[in-house]
Amino acid sequence: MVYVWIIGGLLLGIIIGIITPFDVPVSYAKYTSVALLAALDSIFGGTRAAIERTFGLSIFITGFFSNSLLAAVLVFLGNVVGIDLYYVALISFGLRLFQNTAAIRRLLLTKRLHT
């Protein structure tokens, strides 16, 4: 039953995203890209934890917001100092995203082979 809500929410979000014209100002492009990767990292990490049966909602929510906040602060401080620190956040979140994706793939293939 939970999967129906997840898929329904995903479809609703996609439909709203297609219908609603929304442009991100260029001055916020760095913040948006880092926040998006931080959110995706949290989602993939939560998915991995759910497959491993170690998922905790409070850990997921605090990780989601703290990752996004840390990434935004990193980008802001980089802009203040004049250094492109958002590359650091992009690389670290991108790396974690690929690691979580690989772990999810391994877990799903291992479960499929054992059943």
Side-chain angles (χ1 to χ4, degrees), residues 27-64:
S27 59
Y28 295 133
K30 293 178 184 179
Y31 296 100
T32 306
S33 63
V34 170
L36 182 63
L37 269 182
L40 285 174
D41 173 53
S42 296
I43 290 168
F44 276 77
T47 303
R48 177 182 178 181
I51 292 171
E52 293 174 340
R53 301 200 186 276
T54 60
F55 180 79
L57 184 60
S58 60
I59 293 171
F60 173 75
I61 291 173
T62 56
F64 184 85

